[in-house]
């Protein structure tokens, strides 16, 4: 009997996935905006949503952050934070041209993919970037070497790929994809390009794979899996897909507990709960309270990995924090 197969005392139970919620990159990005607000004072401009979560964005707005789409919306000389998803080099150049003080909150694991893209482009490889068209991270990574990178948006994108030299091709990926779907895409690419090289290390990050792994573990036992996360959060949307593929009878994405439709719970014995990497745990606790009010009081946490990774704040911010501390 697996952990997830233990019986509930009430007949209604929740299987709570762990790891879930905030990853090291999101934690660092949110802290970056908070520390910038404390150090420089409001307003602090943030290019794009710092992380893809409505609640986080609203909370930071209430503290004095102003979210913009592009650098042109930031007054000359003001402070701008770049989001965890990363930016193309031209965005840094635009910031310089407007004399903006730029703080780069790009997740170091996204930066790692940028470095790989630059290195393979310098060696004149064709780079097949597996990812979702239009996603900010993909736009940023592709911007590192637009002449060398072509996007492959899932297994169906494979047939459109054309390369200059089939002996000199490498694939890279967005950090927040479905692990299984990416393997399928790579397998199809390798059928067409047998000498396709793989990235030096996994581009799909630890947080994405860990959250998918635990969901796969609980999903077969769940009548419904509720994923807390926003619609524009790639890794949250993937968790619903992974849950359904792994055998959950139903799966739903909600930003907030009040979005849970009671009809989803009708006849359900086991509800799985997890959250995307940009979701603070208070939103999951709200969902658990909501479920408890409907009889799902028996909560079992299923743990498949212990995450301890943390990232330090961006250098440019740390430098200013240190200088301010020395002046005080
Ligand atoms: S999901 Fe992964 S790549 Fe994205 S911010 Fe979190 S740790 Fe970084």
């Amino acid at each position: 009997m697996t952990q997830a197969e233990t019986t509930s005392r009430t007949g209604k139970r929740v299987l709570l996935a762990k790891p879930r919620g905030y990853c090291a990159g999101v934690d660092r990005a949110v802290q970056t905006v908070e520390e910038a607000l404390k150090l420089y004072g409001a307003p602090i401009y943030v290019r794009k949503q710092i992380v893809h979560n409505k609640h986080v964005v609203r909370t930071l707005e209430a503290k004095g952050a102003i979210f913009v789409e592009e650098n042109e919306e930031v007054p000359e000389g003001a402070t701008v934070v770049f989001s965890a998803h990363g930016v193309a080099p031209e965005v840094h150049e635009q910031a310089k041209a407007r004399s903006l003080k730029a703080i780069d909150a790009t997740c170091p694991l996204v930066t790692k993919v940028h470095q790989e893209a630059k290195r393979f482009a310098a060696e004149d490889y064709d780079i097949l970037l597996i990812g979702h068209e239009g996603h900010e991270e993909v736009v940023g990574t592709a911007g590192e070497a637009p002449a060398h990178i072509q996007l492959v948006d899932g297994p169906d994108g494979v047939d459109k790929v054309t390369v200059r030299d089939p002996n000199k091709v490498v694939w890279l990926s967005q950090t927040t994809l479905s692990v299984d779907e990416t393997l399928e895409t790579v397998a199809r690419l390798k059928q067409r390009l047998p000498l396709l090289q793989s990235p030096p290390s996994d581009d799909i990050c630890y947080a994405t794979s860990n959250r998918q792994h635990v969901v796969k573990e609980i999903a077969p036992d769940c009548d419904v899996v509720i994923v807390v996360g926003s619609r524009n959060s790639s890794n949250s949307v993937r968790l619903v897909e992974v849950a359904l593929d792994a055998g959950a009878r139903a799966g739903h994405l909600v930003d907030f507990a009040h979005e849970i439709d009671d009809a989803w719970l009708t006849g359900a014995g086991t509800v799985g709960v997890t959250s995307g990497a940009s979701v603070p745990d208070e939103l999951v606790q709200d969902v658990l309270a909501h479920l408890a009010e409907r009889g799902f009081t028996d909560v079992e946490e299923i743990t498949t990995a212990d995450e301890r990774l943390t990232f330090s704040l961006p250098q440019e911010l740390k430098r200013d924090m240190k200088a301010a501390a020395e002046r005080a």
Side-chain angles (χ1 to χ4, degrees):
M1 184 179 277
T2 66
Q3 268 181 299
E5 284 165 346
T6 53
T7 48
S8 158
R9 289 182 297 281
T10 60
K12 286 182 171 185
R13 65 173 179 167
V14 173
L15 296 180
L16 179 60
K18 188 176 173 195
R20 62 177 181 277
Y22 265 23
C23 60
V26 163
D27 196 31
R28 170 182 188 260
V30 173
Q31 268 191 54
T32 297
V33 179
E34 287 174 344
E35 291 298 333
L37 281 162
K38 275 190 228 157
L39 187 62
Y40 310 117
I44 293 292
Y45 292 83
V46 183
R47 184 184 175 277
K48 310 279 184 193
Q49 291 193 352
I50 184 75
V51 298
H52 287 156
N53 183 266
K54 266 188 204 173
H55 175 79
V56 170
V57 168
R58 284 179 196 165
T59 306
L60 291 173
E61 272 173 343
K63 290 181 181 175
I66 296 177
F67 290 86
V68 297
E69 280 304 301
E70 295 302 341
N71 284 337
E72 295 83 72
E73 297 163 62
V74 183
E76 293 217 2
T79 300
V80 62
V81 178
F82 297 147
S83 81
H85 309 99
V87 294
E90 65 173 351
V91 175
H92 282 284
E93 285 152 26
Q94 289 161 0
K96 246 187 228 155
R98 291 182 66 74
S99 309
L100 304 182
K101 179 182 185 59
I103 299 171
D104 189 354
T106 303
C107 175
L109 299 182
V110 173
T111 301
K112 185 199 78 154
V113 183
H114 282 225
Q115 301 299 355
E116 289 170 354
K118 281 198 278 196
R119 178 158 74 79
F120 284 110
E123 293 172 22
D124 203 27
Y125 274 75
D126 277 342
I127 300 167
L128 307 180
L129 178 62
I130 304 175
H132 296 301
E133 185 150 20
H135 188 280
E136 281 150 49
E137 182 186 323
V138 163
V139 173
T141 306
E144 291 287 0
H148 287 83
I149 294 181
Q150 56 188 301
L151 183 68
V152 184
D153 196 344
D156 294 339
V158 171
D159 291 342
K160 290 182 218 142
V161 167
T162 54
V163 298
R164 293 170 301 162
D165 177 358
N167 299 309
K168 214 165 174 191
V169 192
V170 65
W171 70 272
L172 303 178
S173 87
Q174 189 179 330
T175 57
T176 52
L177 299 181
S178 153
V179 173
D180 291 340
E181 189 184 276
T182 303
L183 289 176
E184 189 190 331
T185 307
V186 172
R188 281 171 66 170
L189 283 170
K190 282 193 170 162
Q191 278 169 4
R192 287 199 54 205
L193 301 161
L195 295 178
L196 177 69
Q197 291 186 38
S198 300
S201 60
D202 282 348
D203 287 342
I204 296 181
C205 76
Y206 79 99
T208 300
S209 18
N210 285 348
R211 278 150 194 70
Q212 289 176 17
H213 180 68
V214 64
V215 159
K216 274 193 196 173
E217 191 76 15
I218 65 171
D221 296 307
C222 294
D223 296 303
V224 54
V225 170
I226 293 172
V227 177
V228 187
S230 293
R231 301 235 148 253
N232 61 344
S233 159
S234 171
N235 79 88
S236 304
V237 174
R238 299 293 83 76
L239 286 173
V240 177
E241 294 168 359
V242 168
L244 292 171
D245 284 348
R249 259 70 78 202
H252 300 283
L253 185 66
V254 296
D255 262 299
F256 302 103
H258 67 79
E259 294 171 9
I260 296 172
D261 186 336
D262 280 342
W264 301 344
L265 306 175
T266 307
T270 302
V271 177
V273 174
T274 188
S275 54
S278 44
V279 178
D281 210 51
E282 61 188 277
L283 300 183
V284 175
Q285 298 308 320
D286 289 348
V287 165
L288 295 180
H290 182 97
L291 291 171
E293 283 166 16
R294 285 148 184 86
F296 292 87
T297 49
D298 196 351
V299 178
E300 187 183 351
E301 189 163 63
I302 307 295
T303 306
T304 55
D306 181 22
E307 291 182 350
R308 290 163 191 239
L309 186 67
T310 56
F311 293 129
S312 62
L313 291 170
Q315 286 300 332
E316 54 275 32
L317 180 59
K318 280 204 310 193
R319 207 173 35 237
D320 284 359
M321 287 167 75
K322 190 167 170 241
E326 283 167 2
R327 280 197 304 273

